[in-house]
Amino acid sequence: MFYRQSIILFGFVVPLAVCAAIVGGGMFLKSKASASFLEKQGLYKSAENDRIGALGVEAQISKKRPHMERWLSQVEKETANSITSHLKQIGDALPAKEFQQTAVEYPAGRVGFASVSAQDSTQVRLAFRGTFRSVQQALAELESRMPQLQLQELRIDPSGASSSSLNFQVTYTAWEK
């Protein structure tokens, strides 16, 4: 009878409290592990989606690689020679009465777009006399052959020589490597 309280305390209550603490600790660790697992599972799914997206982008880029190599080789060429040769080819294909190149200038210094960019560039000023259709066709052909050209300024004035003829002054920024 004297030991009843000690037996209840150390025989039942303390072992139950220890068991409850062990079970509670186990449940806490299990919930922590489950939360960590779900978080890592989400990160894995996100990383897997990113990897699949990167593979898709890589596939698109690999299709464009030949064009990129062609564009890089185009940008590496000297701008003055490229423009001169392209304009000669374009001028030979157009009627002489409808398209005449009157001037080519390469101003020194950086102006326009080039002045605020760290990218190397050259300014090119071209002047033409011709019909609107022919000069428009020539400029479209030049820009498609030289994608590094960025139109900066275009002036069109009537020509005094003929009613159908116009004077064109075009300024390009030619981006270089």
Side-chain angles (χ1 to χ4, degrees):
M1 182 96 174
F2 295 114
Y3 300 109
R4 184 183 288 177
Q5 190 177 22
S6 296
I7 292 174
I8 290 175
L9 182 64
F10 293 111
F12 295 111
V13 174
V14 170
L16 278 176
V18 169
C19 286
I22 291 173
V23 168
M27 290 176 64
F28 176 75
L29 288 176
K30 181 182 181 269
S31 70
K32 201 79 152 143
S34 294
S36 174
F37 176 73
L38 290 175
E39 180 184 351
K40 289 178 182 177
Q41 209 173 23
L43 290 173
Y44 172 77
K45 286 180 183 176
S46 173
E48 192 65 20
N49 287 339
D50 290 347
R51 186 183 69 80
I52 290 170
L55 289 174
V57 169
E58 180 63 33
Q60 290 176 350
I61 289 172
S62 67
K63 291 177 186 174
K64 306 275 187 209
R65 189 152 291 139
H67 298 294
M68 190 67 180
E69 291 168 2
R70 180 175 50 89
W71 292 331
L72 285 175
S73 71
Q74 182 70 27
V75 169
E76 289 173 350
K77 291 179 183 175
E78 186 181 348
T79 301
N81 290 341
S82 294
I83 287 180
T84 304
S85 65
H86 287 308
L87 284 175
K88 176 150 178 32
Q89 291 172 356
I90 292 167
D92 291 344
L94 294 171
K97 290 181 179 180
E98 293 182 11
F99 179 79
Q100 298 167 353
Q101 180 180 345
T102 56
V104 177
E105 291 179 46
Y106 298 96
R110 297 170 65 100
V111 294
F113 302 122
S115 65
V116 294
S117 175
Q119 178 72 33
D120 291 335
S121 64
T122 302
Q123 294 298 117
V124 180
R125 257 190 220 124
L126 304 170
F128 304 101
R129 181 178 302 117
T131 63
F132 185 81
R133 182 190 66 79
S134 293
V135 175
Q136 182 183 32
Q137 183 179 357
L139 293 177
E141 182 68 26
L142 179 65
E143 290 175 12
S144 63
R145 289 182 184 193
M146 297 185 70
Q148 74 268 30
L149 293 179
Q150 184 173 10
L151 181 64
Q152 188 165 325
E153 181 182 357
L154 173 65
R155 279 188 39 203
I156 304 173
D157 298 316
S159 175
S162 170
S163 62
S164 65
S165 184
L166 300 169
N167 290 326
F168 292 81
Q169 291 181 352
V170 183
T171 303
Y172 284 109
T173 298
W175 300 106
E176 298 174 337
K177 188 170 183 182

